[in-house]
Amino acid sequence: MHMMGAHAYGKLLVDRLEYGDADEGDSQLWDVRAWYGGDYRKLWFETEGEGGAGDAPDVAELQLRYDRTFAPFWSWQAGIRHDLRQHAEDTSYLAVGLHGLAPQWLETDLSAYLSDDGDLSVRAELEYDLLITQRLILQPHLELDASMSRVDGVDLGRGISGSEAGLRLRYEIRPELAPYLGVRWERSWGNTRDLRRAAGEPTSSTSLVIGVRAWF
């Protein structure tokens, strides 16, 4: 505990646990984070994934990072990421990132990943909580992914590869538990879109979602 700071604490956040309904098929998605440590140093775990409803996930990400606060509301992170894929080989990465609150309380995550094959990719995630009432909260979410090279076997091209935007309206029954309704837009871009189109896979999707956000 001395290594972590004066007072160690932990938290488990189920940021998104949802079912999606789209023309391309139903889906399930999760985004779960947990951390333990002090004010300046933490161990950070994150997992997220997506797949067809009732099926094994198409891909699941597992990340373990060391988090070090360097300024109010900002920290840098370093660690590892491992992807479990249903239709391709699993992949491991070195991960570095920047996490914090930008002006106007915009939650920001910027990450870079170097795979065990030497492929470099980056990801940016932005979230914002807009309070309509003390219990009713509208949350926009945006994620952008880009790759510095083409990665065979996973239909990933060089350049901006994909985006995900979401708008979720949640009601906090209590601060620790909030069901929500919303919409999620996913789209492939550039070379990745061309690869997916050539493989006969959809390049965009719009889903109506229902889910729950909780923390412990």
Side-chain angles (χ1 to χ4, degrees), residues 10-114:
K11 183 174 183 178
L12 173 64
L13 170 64
V14 182
D15 192 37
R16 291 182 291 165
L17 182 61
E18 68 187 35
Y19 165 86
D21 180 22
D23 292 339
E24 295 78 15
D26 299 341
S27 64
Q28 57 189 3
L29 178 149
W30 75 88
D31 184 353
V32 179
R33 309 165 195 175
W35 57 89
Y36 180 81
D39 293 333
Y40 296 99
R41 301 177 181 89
K42 298 180 183 67
L43 289 178
W44 184 288
F45 173 77
E46 182 171 351
T47 176
E48 61 180 283
E50 185 177 358
D55 298 330
D58 295 330
V59 61
E61 293 184 7
L62 305 172
Q63 298 196 52
L64 182 63
R65 300 190 185 191
Y66 169 77
D67 180 284
R68 179 67 165 88
T69 299
F70 67 88
F73 307 114
W74 288 97
S75 62
W76 60 260
Q77 298 178 335
I80 56 174
R81 165 184 154 193
H82 186 69
D83 287 3
L84 303 171
R85 295 189 175 95
Q86 185 177 6
H87 304 295
E89 293 185 1
D90 298 347
T91 308
S92 296
Y93 304 81
L94 292 176
V96 294
L98 184 67
H99 173 80
L101 291 174
Q104 306 303 317
W105 302 99
L106 182 66
E107 186 171 350
T108 304
D109 280 293
L110 305 174
S111 300
Y113 303 101
L114 182 64

Side-chain angles (χ1 to χ4, degrees), residues 108-139:
T108 304
D109 280 293
L110 305 174
S111 300
Y113 303 101
L114 182 64
S115 76
D116 47 16
D117 292 325
D119 299 310
L120 179 64
S121 59
V122 295
R123 175 181 296 166
E125 291 187 71
L126 303 172
E127 279 187 355
Y128 182 73
D129 283 351
L130 178 63
L131 272 67
I132 299 174
T133 70
Q134 290 298 315
R135 292 179 178 267
L136 195 61
I137 300 169
L138 184 65
Q139 184 189 66

